[in-house]
Structures are given as C-alpha cells and as structure tokens.
Amino acid sequence: MRMKNKYRKSTPFGCNAGSRCSLSFVVWGLVGCVLLLHLYSLISHGDKLEGSREFHLNHFQLTRELEETQDEGFQIPPPRGKRSPRAAKRRPKRPTTLIEEFLDENSQFRHLFFPDQGTAIDPMMEAGNDSLHFYPGSMWLDTDGNPIQAHGEGFCMLRNWGCTTGTEKTRMVPHTMLTKKELHGGLTHLSVTELKIKVDIIGVSCYSSKDLWTWKNEGVVLAGEETDLTHDLYKLNVLERPKVIYNDKTGKYVMWMHIDDTNYTKASVGVAVSDYPIGPFDYLYSKQPHGFDSRDMTIFKDDDGVAYLIYSSDDNSELHIGPLTDDYLDVTRVMNRVLVGQHREAPALFKYERTYYMITSGCTGWSPNEAHAHAAESVMGPWETMGNPCIGGNKVSRDTTFFAQSTYVLPLPMLHGLYIFMADRWNPAALNDSRYVWLPMTVKGAADKPLDYNFGFPLWPRVSIFWHKRWKLPNGWNG
Ligand code: GAL
C-alpha cells in the first residue's frame, strides 16, 4: 500500500491527487458553485422583487391611509351638570350600554348612530373637501336629493360598470325604463335594492353611479303586489337582500332574493329575470331550495361562471351552499352544509387569489352583532372561521360590526386585495331610515388568532375591515 502511494502525483496544494485533499477541493468547488448560484438567484430575484416592490409600493401608498384606523368610536358623553341632592339620594341609575342606546329610538344619543339630515351626504351640493367622501351611518342622498333606498343591497359588476340590488323601504317610486344604449353609454354602476316600509314590500329599487358616490335613482325594477294576496310579492309579505348576477350564456340578468311571509315562516328564495340590469324584472317563482328553509341569502358568481346560492337554514343554525343551474334560474341537487351549528346569517362572499372568503353576522334580528370572517379552499367548503375582522372604533363598535350587518363585499379590481365592505345599519323603528356603512376592507397580513376547531393558525391572510368616520377611495381605484 505504501509503495503505491509513493508514486502518486503531488498537487499544487502539496497534496496527492485522490487523497483527502482532492476531496476537500471538490467540496470547496461545490460550495463555490452553490454560492455563485445563490448570488445569481439573488440578483435575478432582486430584479423581480424590484417590479413587485414597485407594485406593492404603489398599492401600499394608495391604500395606506385606509388602513390607518380611527380609534375614536361611539361613546356616550358624560352627563352634564351636577345631580340634584334629591336625585343623588335615589339609587344611582344603572348606566345604559351603547347597544341599549342604539336600540332605543328615543335615546338622546340617537344622532350618534343616525346623524340627522343636516349632515347628509349630498353629492349634488358637495364640492371641494367632502367630494367623494363616504360617511358611514350618515344619511345619503341621491341625485334628486332623496335619501337612497337601497337596503340589503348587492352589486353586480359588468365590464366597466355594474349594478347593485336592495330594497326600498319608503314609498312607491315610478319605474323608469332605460334603453340598452343609455345603459351602456351612460352608466357605470347600478344599485338595485330591497324596497319596503316595515313589512310592506314596495319592491326592488335600482340606482346607478359612475363613481360609487353619486347615485341616480333608476326606479323600481321589481314592484311589490298591491292587491293579489296570494302573490309572493304581496305588500304584506317580506322581500329582502335581492342580488343580481349576469348570465354570460343566456345574456339575462337574474335576481335572487329572500321571500317570506309576515311571520318569516315561508323561508324561501325567489327568482326574477330581466334582459337589462335595471329591469323590469319578471318574477318567476319562489321555493325552499333543496327542500330546506332559507332566510338570509346571497349569490356568488365564480371566475369560471358557475354561480352559487348560499343561505341560512335549519332555523339559521347553519349555512347551505350549492351551485345554480347553468341558466342561474334554479338550484341543482348538489348542496353542502357549512358552518354547522354556528348560527350565522347575512353572508357576503368574495374571492381573493384562489381562496374564498365570507363575512357573516350572528342571528339577532335587526340588532347588530359581531361579524365573523370565514375562509375556504373550495367554495363548497369546508369553511373555517377566522374571527372578527373589524379594526378601529372601540370595543363595542367592533363587536357590533360598527352597529351594522353585512350585505355585500365589492371587489375593486384595480386595487388587488382592497374591497368595500357594505353593511346595513338597521333602524328597526323606521326601516326606511336605515343607513349604509361602507368601509375599506383588505385581505392581507398574518392572522391574529388560531382557527376554531383547530390548533393551527390559518394559512390564509387576515381579513380586516377598518373603521373610518370619513374616507374616500384612493385615486386610480377604477383604472
Ligand atoms: C335579520 C336579517 C335581516 C332581517 C331581519 C328581520 O336577522 O339579517 O335580513 O331578516 O333579521 O328581523
């Protein structure tokens, strides 16, 4: 063995080829290569990052202000002046809670929740500083100077414009029919809404806008029925949460809504159809989908054109979700039960990248409660609950969804990950004076809570709804 080694050549490093030294040479060579590769990938990744950083920077600059929450929320001001000696002897009055004040129509703090007409947003009068600003909870006037009647609304985006649906809760509005030319030439966004006074169905109203701030009343697109007691839309019945989607295959606009009788025992969905988003809609029928009771509901159209009905069922204890038929006029036989036992309603669905999200409320009638955000890999579930998305304000307002209830989430396609969260601040004493709470919402950042029924944190980002007393969309939101 020794003899053989004697004849081995020495390397410039003073080692013999094939010995331990050549092994270390190979190892060092490999390390060098790896370092070079790493350096190369850092440089090329740096280039890519530069691009995406630019995008995120712009995006960040645009939305940063909207993510700065306002902490001052609703607070009951301390009583003014001293209590009289007689009053002081009496048992101290139990302080009322904000919720009690909210629900008390005679509360002296009513204006905190339902600011009066003097503070109404009037796009026809506003110029300068207040232009294009949303004031959640304030009265909002249309271009005729009347309060907008678009409760439980939805929004239907089509090419460069869209339409929303909701109910009118005041009076019969004369129906205006626009031609297709007027529609495509002049309108950017349309709002169709649920219309009724207390329990009286007036119909579904429609508003249009180019900037989401100035709304023109397009009239009633589906009217209530005045005399026929057997009709689903008979004025003493219930029509809530109408939503419209466009069917690319049939070229029709299809409206789904919650149909009920005065006592909410019919628990059905209704379907109507139109050639135009601003109607008139032909009412087709109502049914209990999949044979189950159905109350609060929404519809969601996925990127592949498949649309889904989501409704609170089994006495609001769970949600049901199932695809619609190709023409969107009915449900198919496929249905999954989701969020079973969680008692959620007022669902508003949206999609971010490849994940589905939903905001829901608890079931406390017209009284506000805590919103939850949910997420799912597949729209059919299983859905995970991620907790309360509300940020800012104070604890009571966060726990009451800023005294409102979810109805719709509007994506802003030019601002990836930024949405408008749309909610109703119900005024049960005067439903026609219910207000709109529109707030900026993002999907980003780490989750702050482990998932329910699971010890892990979710893989998907946090959904956040930011409280603002006053805010506006960033410039460039619509391209
Ligand atoms: C709520 C529901 C509203 C309306 C109300 C009637 O729970 O979200 O849409 O139905 O009950 O009390």
Side-chain angles (χ1 to χ4, degrees):
M1 289 291 282
R2 269 200 186 160
M3 283 298 286
K4 262 189 186 169
N5 282 348
K6 226 169 117 180
Y7 295 102
R8 279 195 182 142
K9 276 188 194 155
S10 281
T11 66
F13 300 103
C15 295
N16 292 326
S19 71
R20 245 183 21 227
C21 280
S22 82
L23 186 68
S24 73
F25 179 71
V26 171
V27 169
W28 279 110
L30 278 174
V31 169
C33 285
V34 168
L35 282 175
L36 277 173
L37 273 174
H38 187 61
L39 196 67
Y40 172 77
S41 84
L42 275 182
I43 292 167
S44 66
H45 187 60
D47 287 348
K48 273 188 222 148
L49 264 183
E50 208 43 53
S52 75
R53 196 177 300 135
E54 224 165 74
F55 171 76
H56 283 294
L57 216 65
N58 287 338
H59 191 203
F60 179 72
Q61 279 161 351
L62 282 173
T63 60
R64 195 184 35 165
E65 268 178 43
L66 299 182
E67 291 164 27
E68 278 166 11
T69 54
Q70 290 185 344
D71 283 331
E72 95 270 30
F74 304 82
Q75 261 154 26
I76 301 179
R80 273 194 234 130
K82 279 194 182 159
R83 295 182 82 198
S84 71
R86 225 201 281 155
K89 269 192 205 154
R90 273 189 247 124
R91 217 156 15 115
K93 205 172 156 243
R94 184 177 69 83
T96 47
T97 64
L98 268 180
I99 282 275
E100 283 166 343
E101 293 293 346
F102 175 82
L103 294 174
D104 176 4
E105 59 185 289
N106 298 314
S107 164
Q108 53 176 317
F109 306 116
R110 192 106 184 117
H111 62 280
L112 291 179
F113 309 104
F114 298 95
D116 57 28
Q117 182 124 26
T119 61
I121 308 171
D122 186 351
M124 301 315 280
M125 299 294 282
E126 291 313 342
N129 275 350
D130 269 345
S131 180
L132 297 174
H133 279 84
F134 301 114
Y135 284 82
S138 278
M139 207 176 259
W140 197 344
L141 307 184
D142 64 17
T143 52
D144 297 328
N146 298 315
I148 294 174
Q149 289 295 318
H151 310 289
E153 73 188 314
F155 209 98
C156 168
M157 292 283 270
L158 291 152
R159 292 195 191 93
N160 61 343
W161 65 282
C163 94
T164 86
T165 57
T167 53
E168 158 122 32
K169 298 184 187 293
T170 47
R171 76 210 121 79
M172 204 61 156
V173 186
H175 178 206
T176 355
M177 172 66 187
L178 288 191
T179 65
K180 210 164 184 168
K181 182 159 165 277
E182 279 170 307
L183 183 71
H184 289 286
L187 305 178
T188 309
H189 300 282
L190 284 166
S191 159
V192 192
T193 60
E194 180 193 322
L195 301 179
K196 67 178 193 180
I197 308 179
K198 270 227 145 156
V199 286
D200 276 17
I201 296 178
I202 296 169
V204 176
S205 64
C206 172
Y207 290 81
S208 63
S209 174
K210 291 182 183 189
D211 57 11
L212 299 180
W213 189 68
T214 316
W215 291 93
K216 178 171 181 283
N217 186 354
E218 302 291 354
V220 174
V221 296
L222 178 68
E225 165 60 41
E226 283 287 307
T227 48
D228 180 358
L229 274 69
T230 64
H231 200 285
D232 279 349
L233 304 184
Y234 177 59
K235 61 183 177 187
L236 295 185
N237 290 334
V238 166
L239 187 176
E240 291 176 347
R241 300 183 178 273
K243 306 282 183 280
V244 172
I245 45 173
Y246 178 68
N247 189 303
D248 305 84
K249 289 184 187 148
T250 61
K252 304 266 185 200
Y253 295 85
V254 184
M255 182 189 295
W256 283 71
M257 67 211 97
H258 172 191
I259 290 292
D260 230 314
D261 51 23
T262 313
N263 305 320
Y264 285 87
T265 55
K266 189 176 169 86
S268 300
V269 279
V271 185
V273 66
S274 174
D275 287 334
Y276 307 106
I278 51 161
F281 279 80
D282 293 326
Y283 187 74
L284 300 181
Y285 68 98
S286 71
K287 74 187 288 188
Q288 290 206 318
H290 314 108
F292 288 96
D293 58 301
S294 161
R295 292 191 173 85
D296 278 7
M297 45 62 68
T298 194
I299 43 176
F300 171 74
K301 182 175 169 184
D302 206 347
D303 308 330
D304 58 3
V306 180
Y308 297 82
L309 171 72
I310 303 100
Y311 57 95
S312 298
S313 194
D314 203 5
D315 284 332
N316 286 348
S317 65
E318 59 194 33
L319 289 175
H320 290 180
I321 183 161
L324 301 183
T325 51
D326 281 355
D327 58 10
Y328 298 169
L329 297 181
D330 203 348
V331 288
T332 64
R333 297 163 69 129
V334 181
M335 182 276 277
N336 277 1
R337 295 158 182 265
V338 300
L339 304 182
V340 175
Q342 293 195 35
H343 299 269
R344 307 305 295 172
E345 63 177 12
L349 249 96
F350 61 102
K351 189 176 185 178
Y352 173 69
E353 298 189 337
R354 282 198 300 276
T355 307
Y356 299 87
Y357 293 88
M358 176 161 56
I359 308 287
T360 62
S361 77
C363 302
T364 53
W366 301 118
S367 167
N369 56 52
E370 190 187 57
H372 282 174
H374 315 267
E377 302 284 314
S378 155
V379 69
M380 292 293 286
W383 285 81
E384 296 272 14
T385 297
M386 300 197 289
N388 186 345
C390 296
I391 294 191
N394 57 23
K395 176 144 177 31
V396 184
S397 62
R398 283 193 298 276
D399 289 352
T400 54
T401 323
F402 309 113
F403 297 94
Q405 186 186 34
S406 45
T407 183
Y408 197 74
V409 168
L410 180 67
L412 297 169
M414 298 308 288
L415 295 173
H416 192 56
L418 182 71
Y419 301 80
I420 303 182
F421 168 71
M422 297 174 166
D424 293 289
R425 181 173 295 167
W426 298 116
N427 180 349
L431 281 176
N432 61 318
D433 191 28
S434 298
R435 306 295 173 84
Y436 311 98
V437 173
W438 288 17
L439 289 169
M441 187 180 90
T442 60
V443 183
K444 69 181 197 184
D448 48 9
K449 231 176 108 183
L451 290 173
D452 285 359
Y453 314 117
N454 187 330
F455 294 111
F457 277 79
L459 292 175
W460 33 70
R462 192 186 197 284
V463 176
S464 309
I465 300 168
F466 300 92
W467 170 248
H468 286 265
K469 272 173 126 174
R470 170 187 194 269
W471 69 286
K472 79 192 251 284
L473 287 165
N475 293 335
W477 68 270
N478 53 353

